[in-house]
């Protein structure tokens, strides 16, 4: 999972892109990058690390121009190589830069076609570079010095035909404008906004609405599945549906975990959805554990479960308490590659408030359970702090299948609930009781009458139903070989070079001294 942003403005966009990326930092902490355009030249800075660490004053001063795109990277395959930091750039045609959130499920096949048929070289293992070269090849077919919006939308339509999977894309066509488009299933989010200035209209497109509103732009709407937008060099906006049979099936895990609670995705409030998740889960607790559930206090595992836990506690009539204090300077353990690193970081990341645990039956609430190692550690921390009994609740159903659309949910063999019952999972993590959300209740929590067109979601991690073609047993086997922790360690075993703020002309990239 990654975060993308693109801005077409009437004034320098470097600071706005930086601020937008900080609002999207939760979507990726592995690497960050910004590229801007001024007078037909590109200026690039990207590297591994958090936004605040990648961009220093000297880099920001070098990122000149009124058009630009940015990216925060979350490594789907676990690699932390800076070679895969985005945006990517290709010289022909025009000079195109691209940043991508999601995952192409047929990237390996396209990679072969790009080399043998399109005569294009791919330099990294990133499917984003594959997607960039497909877009570039299709756009080159127009054969014009100055491509029109029709030419660009035709190229996007061809991307939809060739690329399978999930993608929210922002691209910069040097000297011509800003492009954004979304996969035909709308799996990955993409929303655009605008604002009027004294010198004309400015536009922004981003993975989440929070990046738009924080900069003072007005959210216009989410791009429809398969839809594309183009803002030309003069600031004119064009929108067009580019898919032949689009369907609206957004990833439900965005609402469970990834998106900020103050975000709105596809018109659905993430905060309200999580409130409803808590209420649905509380109703199930009363049904299965009865009114005499013995819960003395409800404690969230910060931060994403807090909203659900609060509503759950209110519905049960039980005290809600903050029992864990979070160290804000430790990254998300879910994102960290390598089991040992994840396990080690839990106690550095969370510290219990013993007063809230001592001699109490506590219900710990988390957004989901993936590998189980984190909740096992947290349950032991609760016991060490004096809890009598430790119950555990997941606001999401049991995760039984790997994700293929851009979330690094690992190989099936590494998912604790893959082939186990609730009772077997309970014994492994060491809880006295364990309860999961029902899938239909989760769907009901996210659905809203205000957006009646969205009735289905990508729920593959829960039910094994993949909404795109070609996801069979053989595909999942190859995925497991590339995603298990051993494979990740091997992949991270080579040295790479970072890319500093750079001036890029139409023939390539020249590093800034």
């Amino acid at each position: 999972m990654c975060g993308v942003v693109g801005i077409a403005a009437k004034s320098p966009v470097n600071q706005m892109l930086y601020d937008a990326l900080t609002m999207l930092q939760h979507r990726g902490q592995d690497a960050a990058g910004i590229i801007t355009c001024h007078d037909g030249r590109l200026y690039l800075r990207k590297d591994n690390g958090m936004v605040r660490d990648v961009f220093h004053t000297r880099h920001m001063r070098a990122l000149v121009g009124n058009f630009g795109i940015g990216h925060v990277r979350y490594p789907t395959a676990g690699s932390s190589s800076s070679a895969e930091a985005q945006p990517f750039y290709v010289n022909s045609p025009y000079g195109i830069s691209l940043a991508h959130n999601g995952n192409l499920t047929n990237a390996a096949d396209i990679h072969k076609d790009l080399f043998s048929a399109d005569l294009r070289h791919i330099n990294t293992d990133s499917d984003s570079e594959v997607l960039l070269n497909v877009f570039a090849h299709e756009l080159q077919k127009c054969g014009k010095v100055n491509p029109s919006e029709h030419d660009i939308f035709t190229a996007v339509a061809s991307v939809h035909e060739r690329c399978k999977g999930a993608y929210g894309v922002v691209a910069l066509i040097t000297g011509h404008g800003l492009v954004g488009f979304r996969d035909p299933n709308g799996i990955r989010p993409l929303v655009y906004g605008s604002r009027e200035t004294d010198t004309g209209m400015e536009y922004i497109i981003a993975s989440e609405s929070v990046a738009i509103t924080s900069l003072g732009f007005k959210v216009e709407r989410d791009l429809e599945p398969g839809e594309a937008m183009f803002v030309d060099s003069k600031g004119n906006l064009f929108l067009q549906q580019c898919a032949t049979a689009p369907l609206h099936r957004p990833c439900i895990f965005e609402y469970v975990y990834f998106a900020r609670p103050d975000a709105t995705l596809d018109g659905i409030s993430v905060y309200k959805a999580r409130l409803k998740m808590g209420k649905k889960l509380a109703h199930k607790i009363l049904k299965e554990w009865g009114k005499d559930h013995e819960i003395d206090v409800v404690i969230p595992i910060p931060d994403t479960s807090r909203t659900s836990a609060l509503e759950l506690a209110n519905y049960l009539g039980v005290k809600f308490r903050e029992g864990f204090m979070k160290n804000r300077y430790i990254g998300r353990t879910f994102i960290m590659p390598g089991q040992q690193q994840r396990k080690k970081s839990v106690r550095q990341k969370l510290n219990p408030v013993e007063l809230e645990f001592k001699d109490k039956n506590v219900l710990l609430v988390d957004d989901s359970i993936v590998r189980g190692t984190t909740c096992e550690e947290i349950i032991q921390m609760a016991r060490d702090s004096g809890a009598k009994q430790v119950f555990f609740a997941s606001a999401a159903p049991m995760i039984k299948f790997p994700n293929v659309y851009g979330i690094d949910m690992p190989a099936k063999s590494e998912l604790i609930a893959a082939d186990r019952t609730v009772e077997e999972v309970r014994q492994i993590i060491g809880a006295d009781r364990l309860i999961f959300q029902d899938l239909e209740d989760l769907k009901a929590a996210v659905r809203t009458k205000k957006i009646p067109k969205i009735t289905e979601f990508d729920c593959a991690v829960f039910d094994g139903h993949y909404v795109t073609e070609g996801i069979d047993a053989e595909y999942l086997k190859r995925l497991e070989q590339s995603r298990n922790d051993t494979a990740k360690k091997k992949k991270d075993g080579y040295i790479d070079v970072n890319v500093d703020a750079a001036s890029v002309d139409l023939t390539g990239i020249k590093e800034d001294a």
Side-chain angles (χ1 to χ4, degrees):
M1 190 70 65
C2 302
V4 299
V5 60
I7 301 177
K10 302 296 183 180
S11 59
V13 295
N14 52 356
Q15 186 65 52
M16 288 190 286
L17 288 168
Y18 177 93
D19 292 341
L21 291 183
T22 62
M23 297 299 290
L24 298 172
Q25 185 74 86
H26 60 285
R27 299 187 66 88
Q29 301 170 333
D30 182 67
I34 290 175
I35 192 165
T36 59
C37 181
H38 178 66
D39 288 341
R41 294 176 70 88
L42 298 174
Y43 302 86
L44 170 68
R45 166 64 181 170
K46 62 179 181 177
D47 197 5
N48 280 4
M50 306 277 278
V51 174
R52 65 172 181 255
D53 299 320
V54 170
F55 302 101
H56 302 155
T57 301
R58 63 186 178 90
H59 304 129
M60 296 298 291
R61 286 174 177 167
L63 294 169
V64 297
N66 298 349
F67 279 63
I69 60 175
H71 183 267
V72 285
R73 180 174 184 263
Y74 156 75
T76 305
S79 171
S80 58
S81 165
S82 60
E84 296 188 7
Q86 299 183 37
F88 285 116
Y89 169 81
V90 68
N91 184 55
S92 178
Y94 313 115
I96 303 175
S97 310
L98 180 144
H100 160 225
N101 168 36
N103 186 58
L104 301 186
T105 57
N106 64 337
D109 294 334
I110 300 175
H111 190 289
K112 295 176 184 177
D113 291 340
L114 284 169
F115 180 78
S116 61
D118 301 347
L119 306 181
R120 286 182 171 270
H121 171 71
I122 305 300
N123 196 51
T124 71
D125 293 326
S126 174
D127 61 334
S128 302
E129 190 185 9
V130 170
L131 198 156
L132 166 61
N133 277 272
V134 171
F135 179 57
H137 177 77
E138 298 301 330
L139 186 56
Q140 192 163 14
K141 289 180 179 179
C142 78
K144 298 178 182 178
V145 174
N146 295 303
S148 67
E149 65 275 9
H150 174 74
D151 297 322
I152 290 165
F153 292 144
T154 299
V156 173
S158 297
V159 170
H160 290 331
E161 292 177 1
R162 294 182 66 178
C163 297
K164 308 301 178 186
Y167 45 91
V169 174
V170 292
L172 196 61
I173 304 176
T174 308
H176 296 286
L178 173 70
V179 180
F181 57 91
R182 192 178 182 190
D183 68 81
N185 286 285
I187 299 172
R188 290 288 150 247
L190 208 57
V191 58
Y192 82 94
S194 67
R195 69 180 179 189
E196 189 171 0
T197 69
D198 293 339
T199 52
M201 293 296 294
E202 297 181 332
Y203 295 96
I204 181 173
I205 185 166
S207 295
E208 293 184 26
S209 61
V210 291
I212 295 174
T213 55
S214 66
L215 296 179
F217 285 79
K218 173 190 173 185
V219 172
E220 294 293 342
R221 62 175 177 84
D222 298 83
L223 284 189
E224 294 293 323
E227 188 179 19
M229 68 174 283
F230 172 58
V231 183
D232 67 18
S233 58
K234 297 179 180 179
N236 299 308
L237 172 68
F238 304 91
L239 293 156
Q240 184 171 307
Q241 176 56 255
C242 298
T244 55
L247 297 169
H248 215 151
R249 296 183 285 195
C251 174
I252 204 165
F253 213 73
E254 289 275 0
Y255 300 92
V256 171
Y257 176 80
F258 263 104
R260 282 175 54 125
D262 50 342
T264 299
L265 303 180
D266 286 310
I268 300 170
S269 165
V270 175
Y271 179 79
K272 190 171 183 179
R274 290 180 184 170
L275 284 176
K276 291 194 286 184
M277 290 176 206
K279 187 174 181 179
K280 295 282 187 183
L281 190 55
H283 181 74
K284 184 176 180 180
I285 287 173
L286 291 174
K287 182 180 178 180
E288 294 194 2
W289 297 356
K291 293 183 179 179
D292 187 19
H293 43 64
E294 299 182 313
I295 301 169
D296 295 321
V297 61
V298 172
I299 294 176
I301 297 173
D303 285 313
T304 45
S305 66
R306 183 175 286 115
T307 306
S308 297
L310 178 59
E311 187 68 2
L312 183 151
N314 289 337
Y315 193 81
L316 293 180
V318 175
K319 290 180 181 179
F320 172 87
R321 291 290 186 268
E322 295 283 356
F324 291 104
M325 296 297 109
K326 186 175 181 179
N327 182 347
R328 303 288 173 183
Y329 303 99
I330 298 292
R332 279 178 150 180
T333 56
F334 178 87
I335 293 175
M336 290 181 181
Q339 189 83 327
Q340 186 175 1
Q341 186 180 2
R342 281 189 296 271
K343 190 170 183 179
K344 179 182 177 182
S345 69
V346 175
R347 289 181 180 264
Q348 297 173 343
K349 177 180 175 182
L350 297 176
N351 198 50
V353 180
E354 293 190 6
L355 178 67
E356 298 297 350
F357 292 93
K358 190 171 180 59
D359 300 325
K360 296 177 183 177
N361 295 330
V362 299
L363 174 64
L364 303 180
V365 181
D366 206 351
D367 54 79
S368 58
I369 300 176
V370 183
R371 296 171 178 86
T373 52
T374 298
C375 54
E376 183 181 359
E377 285 286 306
I378 291 172
I379 288 169
Q380 187 58 51
M381 289 165 64
R383 295 196 189 282
D384 293 344
S385 298
K388 287 195 300 183
Q389 293 189 91
V390 182
F391 310 139
F392 205 96
S394 169
M398 298 177 78
I399 296 173
K400 291 178 170 289
F401 303 92
N403 183 279
V404 302
Y405 299 125
I407 302 176
D408 191 27
M409 286 186 178
K412 185 176 180 179
S413 60
E414 295 177 7
L415 298 171
I416 190 172
D419 295 305
R420 295 187 176 97
T421 64
V422 175
E423 175 59 21
E424 288 171 336
V425 174
R426 182 198 68 77
Q427 292 179 14
I428 293 172
I429 66 176
D432 293 293
R433 287 181 182 171
L434 173 64
I435 195 165
F436 288 88
Q437 185 87 263
D438 289 333
L439 181 54
E440 290 305 314
D441 284 343
L442 176 60
K443 291 179 182 179
V446 179
R447 289 191 189 106
T448 173
K449 293 180 180 178
K450 294 181 179 179
I451 314 292
K453 63 183 177 181
I454 302 179
T455 58
E456 293 301 320
F457 301 90
D458 163 44
C459 302
V461 296
F462 305 122
D463 62 12
H465 175 65
Y466 296 94
V467 300
T468 59
E469 300 174 356
I471 311 302
D472 53 18
E474 182 60 30
Y475 180 92
L476 294 176
K477 182 180 179 180
R478 293 196 304 270
L479 184 73
E480 180 162 359
Q481 292 173 346
S482 67
R483 282 199 184 182
N484 62 52
D485 283 341
T486 301
K488 291 174 185 177
K489 289 178 182 177
K490 289 181 179 179
K491 189 171 183 180
D492 282 338
Y494 67 88
I495 300 173
D496 207 352
V497 184
N498 73 320
V499 182
D500 205 344
S503 172
V504 184
D505 61 23
L506 298 181
T507 59
I509 297 177
K510 178 181 177 182
E511 288 196 17
D512 176 31

